[in-house]
Amino acid sequence: MDFPMFHLDWLNDRFLIAMIAILHVFINHGLAVGFIPYITWLENKGVVKAGKDQITDLEWDKLIYKKMKVAFIITTTIGAMTGVGIWFSVALVSPTSIGSLIRVFYWAWFTEWIVFVTEVVLILIYFLTWKNSNTSLKAKLRHIRFGWFLSIFSWVTMVLIVAILGFMMDPGNWNNEHTLLNGFSNPIYLPQLFFRTPTAMLVGGVFGMLLTTIFTRRGSELRAKAIKYAAKWMLAWTPLVIAGAIYYWSVMPEAMKENMSTAVGTMEFTEYYNLLKYFIVGTASLSVLLAIWALFRSVKIRFVHVLIPCLFTFGFLGIFERVREFIRKPYVIGGYMYSNLLREEDYPLYKKDGILKYATYTSVTEITEENKLEAGKDVFMNTCSRCHTTQGVNSIVYVFERIYGFNKPIQELDIISYVPSMHNGRTFMPPFPGNSKELEALAAYIKHLQQTGEGLEGAQTTGVQINPYNSASSVAERSEMKNK
């Protein structure tokens, strides 16, 4: 409540972050962490398999260069933009949580920034010096070493960021002792890293096989050889993906497992939860079958044969990110901050005095009949708008219509009776933090939204109004009176 509330009522604020983050993960995992070591391994194969009078197999080297060119273009454009986009969108939508994370992981993020800058320098060197490295064996081997250095630095960025992602799911002992070491050693960190690493390698291999079908002629010996190497890469990493998934699942808190079915899609999807299991098993099986077929019948592989497993693999990665984001609810930082950006330890104070009294940006502090709707809007903005819209994606009106029936008026008493206990039935929703007057104001506002179809604009459009109780002059006046 210390920041003006940015809000996209037609889209949903968290959906904005999710779209950018999932696209970034596709690129970071598939084309950086997983694809770069795959490319370096293949480049080295060209040197190992070259004739006695050759530095490398030039036809093979040209193919690997074309693949690397795709990764270079995508990672340095879309990858870089979505990386910045995550920071930008999170700073707008969830500034309190990102501020808390920075305070805990300042030195980790600082280190990650240094690693990332080094990674950018290395990928520029690796790609731009590729052709010149073929002038001598010494230069080629040095170039391959740069590829391995790049692979290591790409993975280290994952090592650092996954610690933060695990912390958001389960901070572990950090809630008792607020140290960087406790934040880093959260119980989900290593299991998630052990799952993400081989998954990235698998995605890199499948994508590499897809590029092979694009850059080589059907039936050529070059295509057959490249496809076989991709198959070996995929088969090597798939067992580790499965082992990592089992390890990850085994340490996941039971509350998060209970959220799993809803996390996949919507409440309506819960009854079809088994479809997710089939999708995961199907994706893994499809990748293994493709790899085995490619290993023994490489000349038969076509673009369309690889495209479907590739889409399934990226789809699985996207679903994993969607699930990871959802199952930690009702928290944005486990056990510390709810997804509405209010700290759990502050709830008793809000329950007693109401949240509007302590909100920095609100036009109402004392609720009356005259300002009830305006108060309800401010309550909604401060407690509900991080996950709900008024008329757009995940509309609050739609939520209550689904509960109490469509095509009929929402009753304020129904909302008032439901909201205080909603957390018990829907554990992924934070408890309502306000007092009884604020609950009544919220109920009146939701009914008003259904009647009028009115939308809600964020601070980026309407500007802000400062809570007079929390203005600088008011705080200074109270402090002066206290000191007298």
Side-chain angles (χ1 to χ4, degrees):
M1 295 192 296
D2 295 330
F3 298 89
M5 287 295 192
F6 172 89
H7 184 63
L8 293 177
D9 202 51
W10 58 277
L11 179 64
N12 183 290
D13 300 322
R14 293 196 181 277
F15 192 61
L16 172 67
I17 299 174
M19 289 191 304
I20 299 171
I22 289 174
L23 181 57
H24 182 73
V25 166
F26 286 164
I27 296 169
N28 177 267
H29 285 29
L31 296 181
V33 176
F35 193 70
I36 298 299
Y38 165 75
I39 286 293
T40 307
W41 177 65
L42 291 180
E43 185 188 10
N44 187 69
K45 288 293 182 184
V47 175
V48 173
K49 299 295 183 181
K52 292 182 180 180
D53 58 340
Q54 291 180 308
I55 296 170
T56 185
D57 183 331
L58 291 178
E59 185 183 25
W60 175 264
D61 195 72
K62 185 177 180 180
L63 170 62
I64 308 309
Y65 172 78
K66 287 180 179 179
K67 291 184 178 184
M68 182 59 204
K69 187 175 183 179
V70 173
F72 176 78
I73 292 172
I74 294 176
T75 55
T76 55
T77 54
I78 302 174
M81 288 189 293
T82 51
V84 174
I86 290 174
W87 277 101
F88 184 69
S89 59
V90 170
L92 286 174
V93 173
S94 192
T96 309
S97 65
I98 199 67
S100 298
L101 291 172
I102 289 173
R103 285 192 290 273
V104 177
F105 290 97
Y106 174 81
W107 288 112
W109 249 316
F110 178 81
T111 304
E112 191 273 337
W113 181 79
I114 297 297
V115 172
F116 173 72
V117 171
T118 307
E119 182 186 351
V120 171
V121 172
L122 286 172
I123 196 171
L124 288 170
I125 293 172
Y126 185 59
F127 176 72
L128 297 177
T129 64
W130 189 299
K131 293 181 179 180
N132 291 336
S133 71
N134 291 333
T135 56
S136 70
L137 180 59
K138 182 179 180 180
K140 190 63 174 174
L141 293 177
R142 183 170 59 244
H143 185 262
I144 292 171
R145 282 197 296 273
F146 272 114
W148 290 124
F149 290 146
L150 172 59
S151 300
I152 292 169
F153 275 86
S154 297
W155 181 71
V156 170
T157 60
M158 175 187 281
V159 169
L160 295 169
I161 295 301
V162 167
I164 301 170
L165 298 178
F167 176 83
M168 294 174 73
M169 296 175 73
D170 185 357
N173 195 47
W174 180 87
N175 279 320
N176 298 321
E177 187 177 350
H178 297 171
T179 66
L180 173 61
L181 181 60
N182 280 335
F184 235 92
S185 59
N186 64 80
I188 295 184
Y189 173 38
L190 289 180
Q192 189 173 174
L193 182 63
F194 287 156
F195 171 72
R196 283 181 180 269
T197 298
T199 299
M201 301 298 175
L202 177 61
V203 173
V206 175
F207 185 69
M209 186 182 288
L210 184 70
L211 291 181
T212 296
T213 64
I214 296 173
F215 293 135
T216 58
R217 297 192 318 275
R218 183 184 302 180
S220 67
E221 184 180 343
L222 181 63
R223 172 182 285 198
K225 184 166 68 170
I227 283 177
K228 282 184 179 180
Y229 277 126
K232 291 177 181 179
W233 180 272
M234 291 161 61
L235 288 173
W237 288 105
T238 299
L240 297 178
V241 172
I242 296 170
I246 294 171
Y247 182 26
Y248 191 11
W249 178 263
S250 69
V251 302
M252 193 177 294
E254 288 301 320
M256 293 185 183
K257 292 180 181 178
E258 292 174 3
N259 280 348
M260 188 72 73
S261 57
T262 308
V264 178
T266 62
M267 288 292 292
E268 290 84 352
F269 193 82
T270 305
E271 59 185 291
Y272 305 110
Y273 179 42
N274 283 333
L275 289 177
L276 173 64
K277 300 176 184 177
Y278 298 140
F279 183 82
I280 294 173
V281 173
T283 300
S285 302
L286 203 58
S287 299
V288 171
L289 289 174
L290 173 65
I292 294 173
W293 186 30
L295 198 60
F296 294 101
R297 292 288 187 271
S298 56
V299 294
K300 299 287 186 181
I301 299 295
R302 305 286 185 270
F303 173 80
V304 67
H305 300 147
V306 189
L307 178 62
I308 295 173
C310 188
L311 291 176
F312 267 75
T313 305
F314 275 101
F316 168 70
L317 192 58
I319 288 177
F320 168 74
E321 285 302 306
R322 167 73 171 88
V323 169
R324 182 191 60 77
E325 280 290 314
F326 189 96
I327 61 176
R328 69 170 183 258
K329 289 185 177 183
Y331 297 102
V332 66
I333 301 175
Y336 174 74
M337 182 178 290
Y338 285 117
S339 53
N340 55 18
L341 307 185
L342 302 178
R343 294 189 304 174
E344 185 177 41
E345 64 182 272
D346 294 333
Y347 258 58
L349 182 63
Y350 298 145
K351 288 284 188 181
K352 176 177 174 290
D353 297 337
I355 62 165
L356 295 183
K357 178 179 179 180
Y358 300 102
T360 302
Y361 299 96
T362 178
S363 59
V364 178
T365 54
E366 295 292 332
I367 300 175
T368 65
E369 281 301 316
E370 291 73 24
N371 65 21
K372 195 172 186 179
L373 286 180
E374 186 67 21
K377 181 171 75 173
D378 285 352
V379 171
F380 177 85
M381 183 64 85
N382 282 284
T383 65
C384 311
S385 67
R386 298 309 84 194
C387 298
H388 291 283
T389 66
T390 59
Q391 308 295 339
V393 176
N394 202 24
S395 158
I396 193 70
V397 174
Y398 175 79
V399 167
F400 280 102
E401 287 180 337
R402 186 177 59 199
I403 295 173
Y404 294 109
F406 294 97
N407 301 317
K408 64 180 186 180
I410 297 174
Q411 301 300 316
E412 292 182 42
L413 287 177
D414 288 338
I415 299 173
I416 293 170
S417 63
Y418 173 77
V419 169
S421 60
M422 65 182 177
H423 176 67
N424 298 326
R426 299 186 179 190
T427 55
F428 51 84
M429 292 187 66
F432 179 69
N435 59 24
S436 58
K437 283 189 176 181
E438 290 174 337
L439 176 58
E440 292 173 7
L442 178 63
Y445 178 64
I446 294 172
K447 180 178 181 179
H448 171 77
L449 290 174
Q450 187 196 39
Q451 292 173 338
T452 64
E454 182 181 291
L456 178 65
E457 295 180 323
Q460 75 276 11
T461 302
T462 62
V464 297
Q465 287 184 284
I466 304 294
N467 182 343
Y469 182 80
N470 290 331
S471 67
S473 58
S474 179
V475 171
E477 184 179 335
R478 291 199 303 275
S479 177
E480 189 175 318
M481 291 181 62
K482 186 178 180 180
N483 293 331
K484 286 184 179 180

